[in-house]
């Protein structure tokens, strides 16, 4: 049996096409990115080799570290929101009435492009005419916040649409995972007298722990390299209050003609993602997956 | 098996898509008349006036291209059209790979300089006719006296205001800054938003600052700071910042302005929720000829020049403004001569049609007597003719890096996060640090 | 997940005491209230978008997001459909999305199968390669990719888009598949091996069918990403005939003026096919699980 599953030819056949694609289309750009980081280049004229200068500047760059911190915060909030999505999925996956319809509705925002989401939320956050403040005024709040214009809360305000954008994504995955749990196991537990809570906590969760760990990783890395809504809704402002690593990189490379430095930032982002992934996997390490 | 069904559907969709793609592409080829069989010289042009949003400019360019191709049957002009932001991003990628189109759009001064330094733009001194252009517009596109792009647009920035709102509170268009402050106060006291401002984009606030700098210290104060013959810590510049602070504290600007884009801010003015709006003359169509705006609204709008400052050096005919976009020819272009000829033609024709057809003021001198223009245009053009000075937008004059510092400082100043002294000091340091 | 009780819907297994049913009803009601509120929050954007597409530019701004358009501007839709080449963009979006999704799923399944089921020393590092590939920020790759495609003469060729989408979606798809593959028991495959099946038979006839639910899941995810993707198309494609819907939207964002109604209409037009595909595919997930769950 081992020989069948060690068929080298099959292994190569199955992995090489995909491997080739990412090596060429992803790893070469990564390498080039690191390479450009060694240059003083405005993206237009000639490149000048300056060694590790960009990287040294990067390490001392306050703006970079504040943007990194903002990315971290997003990662933390995203991961925390996973619990909420898990809870919702648990409810949806149990056989309550209407779960089918609800499931479909919950996933709808996933279909919207960032353009639509940005427009919607900018209207909601409009300090004078927007829904957020109108709601607050309805409840008697007098000095309604100016949301995206306030440096202290702009970052947190913009987390809301970002996290909301991905609700459908995670609910979809958790739902599929939960549905995968064989019915017999659940039935057996019910016969044994387990309450829904016990079933959820002691049976379902452990059985989808593999998937859950994957989503943690996705949430962390996805947050660290997030770009879209930040750029469109606040541009990283006011004055850098909502800047994240990817938007900072974009700005430096594409807007400020510091392509060399921008590449270094991109490379820095990559390294930080690597570190965080390693850290997360260490923190979520457990015994191997549960076998039936 | 479901998988099979899935796969079949997919392949059918795929096949269908390819066929349709093939069909439409052959349609396109017929339309584009990009006959690879003929010996036409192909000139590739990229511009940022999509048919949907900038229909007027799109049509003008399209007509000009058709006319040119008729007169020059051996030339084929192919266009790639993108929206503003996408255009900027793509040009960056193209220039990094040395793949600029033969003809394209560029902005002036600070934006253009890296391209000139990198030898990406061809000098156009051999096709330019200097007197055709409004004074100063060519300079913004020149490096060391040589023009590297030909300007297409010219804009100045008056303060547009809602006459009806003013009348309601017995206000008149202010001529002095004290009168202006009075207007602001009255409106605030009556619960009306005096000024709408979309400072998320930052350059909008910069224009307010620039006017105050101009009126207090005269046009030299800011220009000298930027071209390094003076300092940004000039007392006039500090005072201008103080006046901004004052305005903000008076609640002169719409709530949450630092988070509103220019477009969103504009909405307040268009909905009559704000009385005044400082913006460039590219907005004129909205108050004059645009079919998308109610005539009732258009009739209520007028403009006044930025008021003069008591004891200040700037006069009322000095404007913040300058050329908008211009056309470049790529230095790497294989059809440079043909491209240059086309550019020359386009700028000429554009100048003749842009005001009437698109409501855009060209950088070439316009004859106001011919044709029947909306009165506001005639006024603006006359004012333009009498202008004593045009100060180019600060963030265009400065190099990209310094411009970013400036714009961030503007946002900080308006947001109350920095003092006028810090504001000027930071920018002085940034300017000084530049080589 | 607090004091809410989920009532068993298989009453023959439970013995509900009558005096708890009232509390249960309240709990149930409360649960539905929460779920319902969340549903409204999720569906509101779609409703808003439709209203948005029917408003004039002026209405888009001043009025509250709740307001209905004063007179529905159906012209926004005609404008969206006729100016620019929306028909062409539409078809491009469809076939590029479908082709990329199919490619991604097939390749990812191959890889995940090889990594989780087959014995080889390098499986760890290879998996690691895919994981790390997920971490690169998109914009870092723009200029290098452009240069590469340019030298391969693939600029302005939709193949560059398909390849890029596939490559960039592989890591994510593999990671999701991985999570699921680990929960499938190996006994069936082991039994098949003992029966003398080749690797390929095992993959195609046993493993792959088991994974239909998760394949549908990743299909949805990939489909959404590809359909709404914009940066690559904008950068690698120049001719109108190969552009996609997302680029078409930007047809309405002008230098100085933005036509919001037309943008809204384009957004609605672009969301319809993906909504339909989503509804179709998400049913597949449920069907797949009902039919394909592991039995013996």
């Amino acid at each position: 049996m081992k020989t069948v599953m060690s068929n080298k030819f099959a292994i190569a056949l199955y992995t090489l096409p995909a491997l080739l694609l990412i090596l060429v289309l992803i790893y070469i750009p990564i390498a080039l990115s690191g390479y450009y980081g060694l240059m003083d280049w405005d993206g237009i004229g000639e490149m000048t080799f300056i060694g590790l200068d960009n990287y040294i500047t990067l390490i001392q760059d306050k703006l970079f570290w504040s943007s990194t911190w903002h990315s971290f915060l997003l990662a933390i909030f995203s991961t925390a929101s996973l619990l909420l999505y898990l809870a919702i999925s648990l409810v949806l996956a149990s056989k309550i009435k209407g779960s089918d319809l609800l499931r479909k509705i919950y996933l709808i925002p996933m279909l919207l492009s960032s353009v639509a989401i940005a427009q919607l939320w900018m209207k909601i956050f409009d300090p004078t005419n927007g829904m957020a403040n109108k709601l607050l005024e309805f409840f008697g709040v007098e000095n309604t916040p100016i949301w995206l214009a306030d440096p202290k809360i702009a970052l947190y305000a913009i987390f809301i649409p970002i996290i909301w954008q991905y609700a459908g994504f995670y609910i979809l995955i958790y739902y599929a995972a939960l549905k995968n749990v064989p019915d017999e196991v659940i039935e057996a537990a019910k016969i044994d007298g387990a309450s829904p809570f016990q079933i959820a906590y002691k049976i379902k969760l452990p059985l989808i722990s593999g998937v859950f760990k994957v989503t943690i990783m996705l949430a962390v890395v996805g947050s660290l390299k997030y770009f879209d809504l930040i750029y469109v809704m606040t541009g990283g402002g006011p004055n850098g209050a909502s800047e994240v690593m990817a938007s900072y990189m974009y700005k430096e490379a594409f807007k400020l003609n510091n392509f060399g430095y921008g590449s270094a930032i991109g490379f820095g982002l990559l390294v930080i993602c690597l570190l965080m992934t390693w850290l997360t996997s260490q923190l979520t390490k457990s015994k191997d997956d549960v076998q039936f | 098996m479901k998988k099979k069904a899935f796969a079949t559907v997919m392949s059918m969709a795929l096949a269908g898509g390819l066929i349709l793609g093939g069909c439409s592409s052959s349609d396109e080829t017929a339309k584009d008349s990009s006959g690879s069989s003929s010996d036409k010289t192909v000139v590739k042009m990229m511009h940022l006036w999509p048919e949907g949003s900038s229909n007027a400019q799109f049509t003008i360019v399209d007509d000009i291209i058709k006319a040119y191709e008729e007169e020059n049957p051996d030339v084929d002009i192919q266009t790639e059209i993108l929206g503003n932001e996408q255009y900027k991003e793509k040009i960056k990628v193209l220039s990094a790979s040395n793949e600029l189109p033969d003809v394209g759009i560029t902005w002036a001064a600070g934006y253009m300089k890296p391209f000139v330094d990198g030898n990406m733009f061809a000098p156009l001194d051999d096709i330019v006719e200097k007197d055709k252009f409004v004074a100063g517009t060519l300079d913004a596109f020149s490096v060391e006296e040589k023009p590297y792009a030909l300007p297409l647009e010219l804009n100045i920035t008056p303060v547009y205001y809602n006459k009806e709102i003013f009348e309601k509170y017995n206000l008149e268009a202010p001529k002095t800054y004290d009168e202006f402050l009075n207007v602001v106060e009255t409106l605030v006291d009556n619960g009306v938003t005096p000024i709408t401002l979309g400072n998320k984009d930052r350059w909008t606030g910069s224009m307010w600052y620039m006017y105050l700098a101009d009126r207090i210290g005269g046009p030299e104060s800011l220009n000298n700071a930027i071209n390094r013959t003076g300092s940004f810590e000039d007392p006039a510049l500090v005072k201008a910042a103080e006046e901004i602070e004052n305005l903000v504290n008076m609640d002169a600007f719409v709530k949450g302005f630092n988070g509103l884009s220019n477009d969103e801010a504009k909405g307040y003015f268009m909905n009559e929720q704000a009385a005044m709006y400082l913006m460039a003359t590219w907005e004129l169509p909205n108050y004059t000829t645009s079919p998308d705006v109610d005539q009732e609204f258009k009739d209520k709008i007028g403009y006044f020049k930025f008021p003069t400052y008591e004891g200040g050096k700037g006069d009322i005919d000095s404007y913040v403004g300058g050329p908008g976009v211009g056309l470049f020819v790529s230095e790497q272009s294989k059809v440079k001569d043909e491209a240059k000829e086309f550019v020359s033609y386009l700028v000429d024709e554009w100048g003749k049609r842009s005001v009437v057809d698109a409501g855009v003021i060209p950088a070439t001198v316009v004859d106001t007597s011919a044709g029947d223009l909306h009165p506001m245009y005639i006024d603006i053009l006359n004012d333009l003719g009498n202008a004593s000075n045009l100060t180019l937008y600060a963030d265009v004059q400065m190099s990209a890096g310094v411009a970013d510092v400036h714009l961030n400082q503007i946002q900080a100043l308006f947001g109350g996060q920095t003092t006028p002294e810090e504001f000027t000091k930071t920018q002085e340091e940034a300017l000084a640090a530049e080589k | 997940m607090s004091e809410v009780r989920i009532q068993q819907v298989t009453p023959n297994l439970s013995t509900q005491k009558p005096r708890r049913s009232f509390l249960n009803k309240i709990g149930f009601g409360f649960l539905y209230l929460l779920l319902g509120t969340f549903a409204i929050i999720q569906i509101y954007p779609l409703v808003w978008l439709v209203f948005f597409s029917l408003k004039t530019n002026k209405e888009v701004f001043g009025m509250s997001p709740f307001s209905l358009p004063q007179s529905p501007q159906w012209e926004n839709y005609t404008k969206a459909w006729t100016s620019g080449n929306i028909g062409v963009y539409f078809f491009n979006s469809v076939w590029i999305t479908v082709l990329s999704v199919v490619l991604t799923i097939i390749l990812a399944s191959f890889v995940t199968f090889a990594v989780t089921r087959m014995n080889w020393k390098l499986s760890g590092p290879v998996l690691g390669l895919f994981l790390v590939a997920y971490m690169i920020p998109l914009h870092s790759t723009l200029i290098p990719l452009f240069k590469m495609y340019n030298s391969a003469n693939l600029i302005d060729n939709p193949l560059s888009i398909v390849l890029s989408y596939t490559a960039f979606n592989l890591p994510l798809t593999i990671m999701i598949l991985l999570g699921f593959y680990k929960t499938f028991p190996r006994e069936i495959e082991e039994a098949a091996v003992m029966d003398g099946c080749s690797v390929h038979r095992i993959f195609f006839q046993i493993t792959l069918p088991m994974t239909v639910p998760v394949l549908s899941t990743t299909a949805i995810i990939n489909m959404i990403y590809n359909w709404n993707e914009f940066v690559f198309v904008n950068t690698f494609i120049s001719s109108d005939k190969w552009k996609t819907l997302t680029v078409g939207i930007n047809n309405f964002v002008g230098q100085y003026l933005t036509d919001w109604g037309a943008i809204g209409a384009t957004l609605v037009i672009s969301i319809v096919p993906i909504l339909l595909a989503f509804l179709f595919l998400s049913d597949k997930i449920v069907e797949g699980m009902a039919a394909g769950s592991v039995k013996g």
Side-chain angles (χ1 to χ4, degrees), chain C residues 44-57:
Chain C
Y44 173 70
L46 198 56
V47 174
W48 171 83
L49 190 61
V50 176
F51 285 168
F52 184 81
S53 66
L54 293 171
K55 291 185 179 176
T56 62
N57 244 2

Short mmCIF file of all heavy atoms in Angstrom, two decimals, chain C residues 44-57:
data_model
loop_
_atom_site.label_atom_id
_atom_site.label_comp_id
_atom_site.label_asym_id
_atom_site.label_seq_id
_atom_site.Cartn_x
_atom_site.Cartn_y
_atom_site.Cartn_z
N TYR C 44 -29.40 44.46 3.60
CA TYR C 44 -29.61 45.88 3.34
C TYR C 44 -28.74 46.45 2.22
O TYR C 44 -29.23 47.19 1.38
CB TYR C 44 -29.40 46.68 4.64
CG TYR C 44 -29.45 48.15 4.40
CD1 TYR C 44 -30.63 48.79 4.07
CD2 TYR C 44 -28.28 48.92 4.43
CE1 TYR C 44 -30.66 50.14 3.81
CE2 TYR C 44 -28.31 50.26 4.17
CZ TYR C 44 -29.51 50.87 3.86
OH TYR C 44 -29.53 52.20 3.60
N PRO C 45 -27.44 46.09 2.19
CA PRO C 45 -26.60 46.67 1.14
C PRO C 45 -27.12 46.41 -0.26
O PRO C 45 -27.04 47.28 -1.13
CB PRO C 45 -25.25 45.97 1.32
CG PRO C 45 -25.24 45.54 2.72
CD PRO C 45 -26.65 45.22 3.08
N LEU C 46 -27.67 45.22 -0.48
CA LEU C 46 -28.17 44.90 -1.80
C LEU C 46 -29.36 45.81 -2.14
O LEU C 46 -29.44 46.38 -3.22
CB LEU C 46 -28.62 43.44 -1.83
CG LEU C 46 -28.77 42.82 -3.21
CD1 LEU C 46 -27.48 42.94 -3.98
CD2 LEU C 46 -29.19 41.38 -3.09
N VAL C 47 -30.24 45.95 -1.18
CA VAL C 47 -31.40 46.82 -1.36
C VAL C 47 -30.93 48.25 -1.63
O VAL C 47 -31.37 48.91 -2.57
CB VAL C 47 -32.29 46.78 -0.10
CG1 VAL C 47 -33.41 47.79 -0.21
CG2 VAL C 47 -32.85 45.38 0.08
N TRP C 48 -30.00 48.67 -0.80
CA TRP C 48 -29.46 50.03 -0.93
C TRP C 48 -28.87 50.24 -2.31
O TRP C 48 -29.05 51.27 -2.94
CB TRP C 48 -28.41 50.25 0.15
CG TRP C 48 -27.64 51.49 -0.01
CD1 TRP C 48 -28.00 52.74 0.39
CD2 TRP C 48 -26.36 51.65 -0.63
NE1 TRP C 48 -27.02 53.65 0.07
CE2 TRP C 48 -26.01 53.00 -0.56
CE3 TRP C 48 -25.47 50.75 -1.24
CZ2 TRP C 48 -24.82 53.50 -1.06
CZ3 TRP C 48 -24.29 51.25 -1.75
CH2 TRP C 48 -23.98 52.60 -1.66
N LEU C 49 -28.14 49.21 -2.78
CA LEU C 49 -27.48 49.33 -4.07
C LEU C 49 -28.49 49.53 -5.18
O LEU C 49 -28.30 50.33 -6.09
CB LEU C 49 -26.64 48.07 -4.34
CG LEU C 49 -25.69 48.14 -5.53
CD1 LEU C 49 -24.68 49.23 -5.31
CD2 LEU C 49 -25.00 46.80 -5.71
N VAL C 50 -29.59 48.79 -5.11
CA VAL C 50 -30.60 48.93 -6.15
C VAL C 50 -31.20 50.33 -6.12
O VAL C 50 -31.36 50.97 -7.15
CB VAL C 50 -31.70 47.86 -5.98
CG1 VAL C 50 -32.80 48.08 -7.00
CG2 VAL C 50 -31.11 46.47 -6.16
N PHE C 51 -31.51 50.82 -4.92
CA PHE C 51 -32.03 52.18 -4.82
C PHE C 51 -31.02 53.18 -5.39
O PHE C 51 -31.35 54.08 -6.12
CB PHE C 51 -32.30 52.56 -3.36
CG PHE C 51 -33.54 51.92 -2.81
CD1 PHE C 51 -33.79 51.94 -1.45
CD2 PHE C 51 -34.46 51.31 -3.63
CE1 PHE C 51 -34.92 51.37 -0.92
CE2 PHE C 51 -35.60 50.73 -3.12
CZ PHE C 51 -35.83 50.76 -1.76
N PHE C 52 -29.80 52.99 -4.98
CA PHE C 52 -28.70 53.86 -5.38
C PHE C 52 -28.61 53.96 -6.89
O PHE C 52 -28.43 55.03 -7.45
CB PHE C 52 -27.41 53.24 -4.82
CG PHE C 52 -26.18 54.04 -5.05
CD1 PHE C 52 -25.87 55.10 -4.23
CD2 PHE C 52 -25.29 53.69 -6.04
CE1 PHE C 52 -24.69 55.80 -4.41
CE2 PHE C 52 -24.12 54.39 -6.23
CZ PHE C 52 -23.82 55.45 -5.41
N SER C 53 -28.82 52.81 -7.56
CA SER C 53 -28.66 52.82 -9.00
C SER C 53 -29.80 53.55 -9.69
O SER C 53 -29.71 53.87 -10.86
CB SER C 53 -28.59 51.39 -9.53
OG SER C 53 -29.84 50.75 -9.33
N LEU C 54 -30.86 53.79 -8.94
CA LEU C 54 -32.01 54.44 -9.57
C LEU C 54 -32.10 55.91 -9.23
O LEU C 54 -33.07 56.58 -9.56
CB LEU C 54 -33.30 53.74 -9.15
CG LEU C 54 -33.44 52.31 -9.67
CD1 LEU C 54 -34.62 51.62 -9.04
CD2 LEU C 54 -33.59 52.32 -11.18
N LYS C 55 -31.07 56.42 -8.54
CA LYS C 55 -31.16 57.82 -8.14
C LYS C 55 -30.40 58.71 -9.10
O LYS C 55 -29.55 58.25 -9.86
CB LYS C 55 -30.54 57.99 -6.74
CG LYS C 55 -31.33 57.36 -5.64
CD LYS C 55 -30.70 57.70 -4.29
CE LYS C 55 -31.52 57.09 -3.17
NZ LYS C 55 -30.90 57.29 -1.87
N THR C 56 -30.71 59.97 -9.03
CA THR C 56 -29.90 60.92 -9.79
C THR C 56 -28.68 61.26 -8.95
O THR C 56 -28.65 61.01 -7.76
CB THR C 56 -30.66 62.21 -10.06
OG1 THR C 56 -30.96 62.81 -8.79
CG2 THR C 56 -31.92 61.95 -10.83
N ASN C 57 -27.74 61.88 -9.58
CA ASN C 57 -26.52 62.26 -8.87
C ASN C 57 -26.82 63.10 -7.65
O ASN C 57 -26.21 62.97 -6.61
CB ASN C 57 -25.61 63.06 -9.83
CG ASN C 57 -24.32 62.32 -10.07
OD1 ASN C 57 -24.12 61.22 -9.58
ND2 ASN C 57 -23.45 62.92 -10.83
#
